[in-house]
Amino acid sequence: MMAKVVVYKLLFIFILSLAGCGNMFTKNKTRFHWLATESAPKNYPMRIIDGTFYYHNEKGELYVPAVASVNPGWGTGRSTHVVGEDFKALPDRLDVRFFSFTENKLYQGSFDLPYDKILALFKEGVAKDKENPIFNRIIVGVAPGGAVAVWVRGRGETREIFFGQAEPYEAELKNLLGGEITDRAAYARSYLEDLPSDVLSDIDKNGVPFGLWQQYRTRYKWTPKFKTEQKMSTYISYAYFNGESYDLDFPIKKEALEINPLPMLLSFGCYIEGTSKQYFFTTRFDYAELKAAFDKLGGVEELINIEIEPQLPKSHTKVRLYNDKGSVELKKTSTD
């Protein structure tokens, strides 16, 4: 009998120790399902020559897809390759080499990534939905002038976690099949000719707006206001010029009063008076006009209201910026 009691006690202690190990593993989980993808600004085609994410505290790496030309939009991933283990360590370093078609120039860089920030976001994504975690992509963005950005991406959210500067270098440039490119200028120009004619004419006339992607990251104090007596929907979708995007609940909470980059678009819904139908609106901003209006009303120092007055047809929607310093009606926005 005494022997059985001892066995039961030992078994009980063993089970408790397993439970403790399970909890510890859960709290310190550092392997996630994620894939790598690439991005470049719309109308500024780039080519990833090669790129590699290196795993934190582990031997191993995951390559960034290399493509002939990529320009889906800053912060928007283009392609993914399903390779490697399903659950991988997150990266803490990036090596990348790329080609800028608008400049006919090669860039390269090796960057330390903020591992703790990446880990916190992935853990947050799991905490919100264990069955279908929010984040599952890590995007590498490359832009003219050598700008390099990294975002984590998932369902309805894109968060910038790094921005850096690559350096020019010279090397032989080969095509994707490994063949020699004898006339690099002609090779670069051939991809630019696929751009809309007005875009290409603007690049030829005014050149590349170097520094624009760094400028997109400038944060301002602003909050949206909706000039309508109609019932609003339960969320607002934000997309920023720096490539970030996410949703916020309505009514607007304090998060919207935080300092954020300038918005590229705001999407929302409201009910039209006298009907039960909900209409969804997306207001898109012109960066140069929006920045000029912010600068006029106090720049980064003053809180600025972005007032949207939804109307039907949607193209009649009005947008203005205002605060104690004045009011500016925007003319170059579009709403659909």
Side-chain angles (χ1 to χ4, degrees):
M1 183 67 178
M2 182 63 69
K4 288 184 178 179
V5 171
V6 171
V7 170
Y8 290 152
K9 285 184 176 180
L10 290 174
L11 183 59
F12 182 68
I13 293 171
F14 178 68
I15 292 172
L16 284 179
S17 67
L18 283 179
C21 289
N23 289 336
M24 184 180 295
F25 177 76
T26 300
K27 290 179 181 178
N28 296 292
K29 187 172 182 180
T30 57
R31 300 175 72 84
F32 301 85
H33 175 67
W34 64 277
L35 299 172
T37 183
E38 80 291 344
S39 177
K42 184 178 180 180
N43 297 328
Y44 296 94
M46 310 291 291
R47 173 184 165 188
I48 299 283
I49 306 299
D50 57 59
T52 307
F53 283 118
Y54 296 95
Y55 301 150
H56 176 71
N57 283 344
E58 289 190 20
K59 291 183 179 180
E61 60 193 49
L62 183 65
Y63 69 85
V64 179
V67 294
S69 174
V70 52
N71 60 335
W74 196 233
T76 301
R78 178 180 177 184
S79 58
T80 54
H81 297 170
V82 181
V83 295
E85 300 178 5
D86 286 342
F87 292 89
K88 302 178 281 290
L90 295 170
D92 63 7
R93 188 161 58 88
L94 167 68
D95 287 345
V96 65
R97 296 190 300 155
F98 55 96
F99 180 69
S100 172
F101 288 92
T102 54
E103 304 169 80
N104 184 18
K105 185 177 286 190
L106 288 159
Y107 291 92
Q108 64 182 359
S110 181
F111 308 100
D112 292 327
L113 301 178
Y115 173 76
D116 289 342
K117 184 175 182 178
I118 301 171
L119 178 62
L121 284 169
F122 270 82
K123 283 187 173 182
E124 178 186 325
V126 172
K128 289 181 178 178
D129 190 340
K130 292 181 180 180
E131 298 299 321
N132 189 18
I134 292 176
F135 297 110
N136 56 20
R137 297 286 189 275
I138 301 182
I139 306 172
V140 177
V142 294
V148 177
V150 180
W151 303 267
V152 295
R153 167 73 178 168
R155 289 181 290 112
E157 283 199 48
T158 305
R159 300 286 186 170
E160 182 194 275
I161 53 94
F162 174 80
F163 189 89
Q165 180 65 45
E167 299 298 327
Y169 77 102
E170 275 304 324
E172 181 183 4
L173 183 63
K174 296 183 178 182
N175 61 34
L176 290 181
L177 299 177
E180 181 183 359
I181 296 175
T182 56
D183 189 340
R184 205 169 81 178
Y187 167 75
R189 187 69 185 183
S190 69
Y191 281 88
L192 297 182
E193 289 174 352
D194 291 334
L195 296 173
S197 58
D198 59 328
V199 171
L200 182 56
S201 296
D202 182 71
I203 292 174
D204 287 338
K205 179 180 179 181
N206 300 312
V208 177
F210 296 112
L212 181 63
W213 297 276
Q214 170 70 54
Q215 192 178 93
Y216 283 162
R217 305 176 68 243
T218 303
R219 295 180 178 268
Y220 297 80
K221 301 174 185 177
W222 62 270
T223 186
K225 301 285 186 180
F226 296 93
K227 189 178 180 181
T228 174
E229 297 179 357
Q230 318 309 330
K231 180 181 176 182
M232 295 291 294
S233 65
T234 57
Y235 79 97
I236 303 172
S237 291
Y238 295 76
Y240 302 96
F241 283 101
N242 76 328
E244 292 187 285
S245 62
Y246 57 84
D247 296 341
L248 285 179
D249 291 335
F250 189 87
I252 301 166
K253 299 178 182 178
K254 66 177 182 178
E255 290 92 333
L257 293 174
E258 294 176 355
I259 300 176
N260 287 309
L262 293 182
M264 181 174 67
L265 63 84
L266 293 177
S267 293
F268 59 95
C270 68
Y271 292 88
I272 299 302
E273 187 176 8
T275 76
S276 60
K277 184 175 181 179
Q278 183 174 200
Y279 291 84
F280 290 93
F281 295 77
T282 296
T283 295
R284 306 174 193 277
F285 298 89
D286 176 85
Y287 179 76
E289 180 188 46
L290 188 62
K291 183 179 182 302
F294 265 80
D295 290 344
K296 182 177 180 179
L297 297 177
V300 299
E301 301 298 329
E302 300 289 336
L303 176 63
I304 296 172
N305 300 292
I306 300 179
E307 180 187 81
I308 300 176
E309 184 179 354
Q311 296 186 8
L312 293 178
K314 295 178 182 179
S315 58
H316 290 183
T317 296
K318 297 179 180 180
V319 184
R320 74 176 179 118
L321 272 58
Y322 72 91
N323 61 10
D324 293 340
K325 292 183 175 294
S327 174
V328 178
E329 185 175 349
L330 301 182
K331 303 293 187 180
K332 296 183 179 181
T333 59
S334 63
T335 301
D336 51 41

